[in-house]
Amino acid sequence: MSVITFRPLERADSEILSRFVGRLSEESLYRRFMSPVHRLEQVHLRRLLNVDHKNREAIIGLLAGEVIGVGRYSRTASASAEFAVVVADRFQRLGVARELLSRLAILALARGITEFTFTAHADNLPIIRLVRKLVTDPTLKFTGPEVEGRFDIIDLTSYSPDYPVRETDDQAVAGAGSDNP
């Protein structure tokens, strides 16, 4: 059994981030970027790597040296930031998104951010379920094809950053860097 590790994203992570994005399914890319992504160049990796660890933060989940999830926030006001999370298809529903979001919340609070916001397609049930599961009273506003959400970050800090993410079996570890499920 192997354990997923988490750490801040750094500019030097360009290669492993590129491989991660290249392995995401069309559906995961669509949910994360809210539009069809047909070529890796459309993702703008340079922009994704642009973190200052204060106003723009990103945390990666790693397994066997490969990125399997990314959570990020970008400050939009003095005490508010928009967040986004994406997890590799084969590692969804293992607690990775929960862990990424919880760790982001702890860092954000330490930097004076008290509220997270997000915009997603209204049919992006995984992010809606995640927020409803982790947050006591989120504000979700459905407007046509989109949902806008906001919630107090303090609701997320009850989850310890050491909350155990389900261990993965050795077969999953061996396939962490492959396209084959």
Side-chain angles (χ1 to χ4, degrees):
M1 299 299 243
S2 296
V3 177
I4 299 165
T5 59
F6 298 87
R7 68 168 174 79
L9 179 73
E10 299 294 340
R11 288 189 188 271
D13 293 325
S14 177
E15 188 176 315
I16 60 172
L17 184 63
S18 178
R19 286 195 305 264
F20 167 69
V21 172
R23 288 190 307 269
L24 291 173
S25 69
E26 286 184 18
E27 182 178 1
S28 289
L29 286 167
Y30 181 75
R31 284 184 173 157
R32 167 56 184 91
F33 296 103
M34 294 188 60
S35 64
V37 176
H38 302 292
R39 294 185 323 275
L40 190 57
E41 302 83 43
Q42 292 176 283
V43 175
H44 306 287
L45 287 175
R46 191 173 317 153
R47 183 177 56 83
L48 295 178
L49 289 163
N50 183 14
V51 293
D52 64 9
H53 303 295
K54 181 180 178 186
N55 296 314
R56 289 178 313 281
E57 180 63 89
I59 297 175
I60 55 177
L62 294 162
L63 182 65
E66 291 295 326
V67 176
I68 63 162
V70 179
R72 66 177 50 252
Y73 73 72
S74 181
R75 191 184 299 254
T76 56
S78 63
S80 184
E82 184 172 27
F83 83 92
V85 176
V86 63
V87 175
D89 297 75
R90 71 181 319 139
F91 296 100
Q92 293 176 6
R93 299 192 206 325
L94 296 176
V96 177
R98 176 189 59 226
E99 186 71 11
L100 288 165
L101 189 53
S102 296
R103 287 171 182 260
L104 279 177
I106 290 167
L107 293 174
L109 276 174
R111 295 166 185 155
I113 297 169
T114 59
E115 176 185 71
F116 271 162
T117 66
F118 71 95
T119 302
H121 287 290
D123 66 351
N124 187 342
L125 297 181
I127 195 65
I128 295 167
R129 286 183 190 130
L130 177 68
V131 169
R132 283 183 170 157
K133 181 177 182 180
L134 296 180
V135 179
T136 306
D137 193 22
T139 300
L140 299 174
K141 181 181 174 187
F142 291 85
T143 55
E146 294 183 351
V147 59
E148 294 177 1
R150 77 177 48 250
F151 54 88
D152 291 332
I153 293 175
I154 198 72
D155 287 345
L156 293 172
T157 59
S158 62
Y159 290 91
S160 165
D162 295 321
Y163 189 91
V165 174
R166 276 191 239 160
E167 290 188 349
T168 59
D169 62 34
D170 292 332
Q171 186 177 10
V173 172
S178 79
D179 294 330
N180 301 327

